[in-house]
Amino acid sequence: MEFTREIYWNVGGGAATLVPMYLLTLAALVVMGRGLWRRIQVYRQGRPVQRLDEPGQRASAALRQVLSQARVLRVPGAGTAHGLFFWGFFILFIGTCLVVVQADFTDPLFGVQFLKGTFYKFFSLILDLAGLVALMMLAGLFVRRYLVRPPGLETGRDDAVMHGLLFAILLSGFVLEGARMAVTELGTPLAVWSPVGLVFAKAFVGLGEPALRAMHTGVWWLHLALALGFIALIPFTKFRHIFTTSANYLFADRGPKGSLVTLNLEDEAAESFGAAKVADLTWKDLFDADACTQCKRCQDRCPAHATDKPLSPMKLINQLGETAFNAPERSLAESLGKDELWSCTTCRACQEICPAAIEHVPKIVEARRNLVLMEGEFPGDEVMSAAENTEVNGNPLGLSFAARGDWAQELGVKTLAEDAEVDVLYFVGCYASFDKRNIRVAKGFIQLCQAAGVRVGILGSEEKCCGEPLRKLGNEYLYQGVATENIETIKGYGVKKVVTSCPHCFNTLAKDYRDLGFDLEVEHYTVFLERLLAQGALKLSPAAEGFACTYHDSCYLGRYNDIFSAPRALIAQAGGQLTEMSRSKDEGFCCGAGGGRILAEEKLGTRISEMRARMAAETGAPLLISNCPFCLTMFEDGIKGAGLEEQLAPRDIAEILAERLPAG
């Protein structure tokens, strides 16, 4: 016998079957198309933004993400089940397409049949197993959602419709196959190549051929109706994420990771700055809301949400969608919630883990910009004072700009005004310039450079705050003012390379300043020192004793710049035996200082720094090492607030290394 099957067995392949089938298919596609078009009209409320440049690279990256399910699979359990379900359902879709191509095109038009022989045997086996995997994974996801639902997983009508419809489609497909096989394939060598269908066929065989044929006809039309209903419902349920999430991979931001749009503050045609309403956001921002599947991964990793603050990135994105579709003229800040907006630390944990490639942080910053620039609102009087201090003294701490370089005098470090012939400019930052605790870090870095024979200069009183904290709080005007001054000063001295000890300064100078004409090489000190050690220019004492420690990944060094190995290599070189925290590297937990929160009182919920300190204490290590002045400052307070002074001490990598320089 030839290994194949009659595709329209029992229902017939004539006009009586094909005409209504294709009319119903056309109707389902029209309903889907109209629904999608209505949603597109909502997206078009947003401002234009270019997200289709480099189309080849975008399409390739999007195809890799969709087919590999890489972002989905980052979270085991539900992510694995979803990935396996996708592959199973996708294989079934491809199989259905091949059936349609042969039955309705190649066979009637050209007499070509390819679903036969060995190919058909493996075709049948693969589709049967794919359907079984899809059905099992759907059952697992059903159990997770309805029987052992994790906290925070919201479930509504959409979820019930999706589970019920998909289950019905898959099950009816196997019933259909079993009825056909019970009549045509039982007892033949072909039957074993459809193992799941064979189980159903054996269960149905006792019904007799007339009943099996009647059941097959009814289930065939039911299966078709379910499949077409699935297509028609896509725009009206979370099924739309099939399109929107896939498209979001295509529309992904291909600029520097974590960079923000630089406002043209001199645009005389601009009536306002920032986002007051949904129309002030981009179409991509509104499209993001439709890509969200409410999987709660962002919420689970949000430090603000974890410490009982009102922000949930998931709910914020969904509220944005609700506003765009139902109340587009409503104040965005009122709709999303001001406390929610101010609670964000811009740590990017939400964006990094999002399987739909949603961009949370830029939306929050745009809303903050409008509050600050147009409404004059700040999260607290202390932030307003910090802004005023920066305008007057170039730093948010309110200390005299003339004393900015005093810390370096005893080390013989010269300002560029005194001697511009240096190997690197050390952009010190505000906290390492004025805060006593962080001055020790700055001194340690200088000592390491001097030991390696690196000529280092500073700007001293000419250096101003990089502007990052105020920018993330929405004060773009003040940020651009200090940034422009810094750029002009640095370029005026002919500097070739800049090194920072602050990840916030590093990220800002290396990325954000580019929009303002800054094009010098910028490095964080951990990368700079690791290279000096590797080259042999910097040597540590071999007699240094080992020490136990844990390490905190600064968000702006880790997630924003993917620098994870250099700090750990330095710790190892210094003799550290590192015990990782439960949340580390790209899954690291924020210290609470990002997003300008270093300047604001933490009045809602519990302190993020205390939660992170407790995570560090759980490792049993006596030292909590970081490489960021903001983190160090937060941990000094967080360890005290958590009552861990006797168990844990915060240190910076530069301090650790400086203590291990050879004597003399």
Side-chain angles (χ1 to χ4, degrees):
M1 65 173 291
E2 184 174 26
F3 293 111
T4 188
R5 70 176 172 88
E6 182 185 348
I7 290 178
Y8 285 115
W9 176 82
N10 192 47
V11 295
T17 298
L18 297 184
V19 170
M21 181 182 76
Y22 277 107
L23 286 176
L24 288 171
T25 301
L26 180 62
L29 290 172
V30 168
V31 172
M32 181 189 73
R34 286 175 61 87
L36 290 175
W37 180 248
R38 289 173 182 169
R39 303 194 83 82
I40 289 171
Q41 299 310 302
V42 175
Y43 309 150
R44 292 176 68 181
Q45 295 177 91
R47 294 183 295 103
V49 63
Q50 177 55 272
R51 289 299 177 90
L52 287 175
D53 56 318
E54 303 176 330
Q57 292 178 326
R58 286 183 176 276
S60 175
L63 193 60
R64 285 197 305 272
Q65 282 290 344
V66 171
L67 295 181
S68 71
Q69 293 283 285
R71 294 184 72 100
V72 174
L73 293 171
R74 286 187 62 188
V75 176
T80 306
H82 187 284
L84 289 170
F85 174 81
F86 166 81
W87 289 319
F89 208 78
F90 182 69
I91 289 171
L92 290 173
F93 172 74
I94 296 298
T96 302
C97 290
L98 290 175
V99 168
V100 170
V101 167
Q102 175 177 297
D104 299 338
F105 296 97
T106 66
D107 190 11
L109 297 179
F110 308 106
V112 175
Q113 295 183 359
F114 50 84
L115 294 177
K116 61 183 181 179
T118 302
F119 176 77
Y120 178 72
K121 289 193 293 185
F122 283 101
F123 173 84
S124 297
L125 177 63
I126 291 170
L127 260 64
D128 245 40
L129 295 179
L132 178 62
V133 168
L135 199 58
M136 291 172 62
M137 294 305 104
L138 186 63
L141 292 169
F142 178 89
V143 169
R144 175 179 180 266
R145 182 170 291 278
Y146 290 101
L147 302 182
V148 291
R149 186 189 309 170
L153 183 63
E154 298 189 350
T155 298
R157 178 186 61 87
D158 270 15
D159 302 291
V161 169
M162 290 171 68
H163 278 85
L165 187 54
L166 291 172
F167 183 80
I169 289 171
L170 292 167
L171 186 61
S172 63
F174 281 125
V175 171
L176 194 63
E177 181 183 41
R180 175 185 59 78
M181 289 179 64
V183 176
T184 65
E185 291 182 16
L186 272 184
T188 71
L190 184 58
V192 297
W193 292 93
S194 301
V196 184
L198 183 58
V199 172
F200 280 84
K202 288 181 176 179
F204 296 153
V205 69
L207 296 176
E209 185 172 334
L212 286 170
R213 285 182 175 274
M215 181 176 73
H216 179 274
T217 300
V219 174
W220 192 93
W221 285 105
L222 173 64
H223 184 71
L224 175 66
L226 291 170
L228 296 181
F230 166 79
I231 292 171
L233 283 173
I234 285 175
F236 310 103
T237 65
K238 284 199 292 186
F239 279 141
R240 60 180 169 268
H241 82 275
I242 297 168
F243 291 150
T244 53
T245 296
S246 301
N248 234 14
Y249 297 145
L250 182 71
F251 300 145
D253 186 0
R254 296 181 65 83
K257 190 177 181 181
S259 60
L260 297 173
V261 172
T262 299
L263 298 181
N264 180 5
L265 298 173
E266 297 180 358
D267 182 4
E268 296 181 357
E271 297 180 0
S272 66
F273 296 108
K277 300 177 181 178
V278 294
D280 297 322
L281 294 169
T282 69
W283 65 261
K284 171 61 168 61
D285 291 320
L286 307 185
F287 186 83
D288 273 352
D290 254 5
C292 179
T293 62
Q294 299 183 46
C295 68
K296 82 180 185 71
R297 290 185 185 185
C298 58
Q299 179 175 285
D300 286 346
R301 286 154 182 81
C302 177
H305 187 268
T307 51
D308 302 318
K309 296 172 180 60
L311 175 62
S312 160
M314 177 185 74
K315 292 179 180 178
L316 184 138
I317 292 299
N318 280 276
Q319 185 59 42
L320 172 61
E322 287 289 325
T323 305
F325 279 88
N326 301 315
E329 294 302 313
R330 187 182 177 191
S331 163
L332 195 60
E334 295 295 335
S335 177
L336 301 182
K338 293 181 181 179
D339 284 339
E340 285 84 344
L341 293 172
W342 293 126
S343 292
C344 178
T345 66
T346 67
C347 70
R348 270 186 67 92
C350 50
Q351 284 185 223
E352 284 294 293
I353 200 61
C354 179
I358 292 168
E359 299 160 15
H360 308 71
V361 173
K363 301 168 181 50
I364 291 173
V365 173
E366 284 298 325
R368 287 179 172 183
R369 282 173 168 174
N370 186 264
L371 287 173
V372 171
L373 298 176
M374 306 309 299
E375 305 296 332
E377 287 193 40
F378 294 86
D381 292 340
E382 70 279 8
V383 176
M384 189 179 299
S385 297
E388 293 170 352
N389 291 334
T390 304
E391 285 188 89
V392 175
N393 283 303
N395 69 82
L397 305 176
L399 300 171
S400 171
F401 70 89
R404 193 173 186 108
D406 289 356
W407 64 272
Q409 291 177 359
E410 64 185 67
L411 297 173
V413 180
K414 294 183 179 180
T415 65
L416 296 193
E418 297 170 316
D419 183 3
E421 294 298 319
V422 297
D423 298 316
V424 298
L425 165 65
Y426 175 31
F427 192 91
V428 186
C430 298
Y431 276 76
S433 294
F434 295 108
D435 176 64
K436 290 182 180 180
R437 180 66 186 85
N438 279 286
I439 284 174
R440 285 155 50 187
V441 178
K443 288 181 175 179
F445 173 67
I446 293 296
Q447 290 166 356
L448 291 163
C449 289
Q450 291 173 338
V454 177
R455 294 176 299 170
V456 182
I458 63 173
L459 292 175
S461 61
E462 292 185 282
E463 180 184 295
K464 295 201 166 27
C465 176
C466 71
E468 188 272 344
L470 290 162
R471 187 185 203 203
K472 292 296 173 20
L473 284 168
N475 198 333
E476 181 77 3
Y477 176 81
L478 187 51
Y479 156 73
Q480 290 194 24
V482 293
T484 301
E485 289 186 61
N486 280 329
I487 292 169
E488 291 175 354
T489 301
I490 294 170
K491 282 191 166 184
Y493 285 114
V495 171
K496 297 295 188 293
K497 183 172 186 173
V498 180
V499 177
T500 77
S501 55
C502 175
H504 297 261
C505 294
F506 164 63
N507 189 72
T508 304
L509 271 66
K511 296 177 182 177
D512 298 343
Y513 276 23
R514 303 303 185 203
D515 290 347
L516 301 175
F518 189 73
D519 56 3
L520 302 183
E521 181 185 3
V522 184
E523 279 190 326
H524 187 260
Y525 85 82
T526 53
V527 176
F528 181 68
L529 293 179
E530 185 196 22
R531 186 168 56 255
L532 291 180
L533 279 167
Q535 293 171 346
L538 177 62
K539 299 182 184 301
L540 301 180
S541 173
E545 295 182 3
F547 59 95
C549 64
T550 189
Y551 171 68
H552 166 80
D553 289 281
S554 161
C555 302
Y556 276 74
L557 194 66
R559 273 191 291 268
Y560 272 78
N561 290 284
D562 299 312
I563 298 175
F564 300 109
S565 61
R568 287 171 171 80
L570 292 176
I571 291 171
Q573 290 266 14
Q577 284 96 47
L578 180 63
T579 302
E580 296 283 6
M581 284 184 266
S582 57
R583 298 280 299 274
S584 63
K585 298 183 179 178
D586 57 353
E587 287 269 16
F589 192 83
C590 184
C591 73
R597 297 296 313 178
I598 187 73
L599 306 178
E601 290 292 332
E602 198 168 353
K603 300 171 184 175
L604 300 175
T606 56
R607 291 188 177 275
I608 296 172
S609 60
E610 292 179 13
M611 177 170 281
R612 188 54 166 168
R614 283 190 285 271
M615 291 182 191
E618 288 172 1
T619 67
L623 294 181
L624 169 54
I625 298 179
S626 60
N627 51 40
C628 171
F630 290 6
C631 295
L632 185 60
T633 301
M634 298 301 284
F635 292 147
E636 288 282 349
D637 293 337
I639 289 172
K640 292 176 183 175
L644 298 170
E645 300 101 312
E646 300 299 319
Q647 299 173 238
L648 197 62
R651 303 295 303 278
D652 189 278
I653 291 178
E655 297 177 290
I656 300 288
L657 294 174
E659 291 170 358
R660 283 152 179 77
L661 287 172

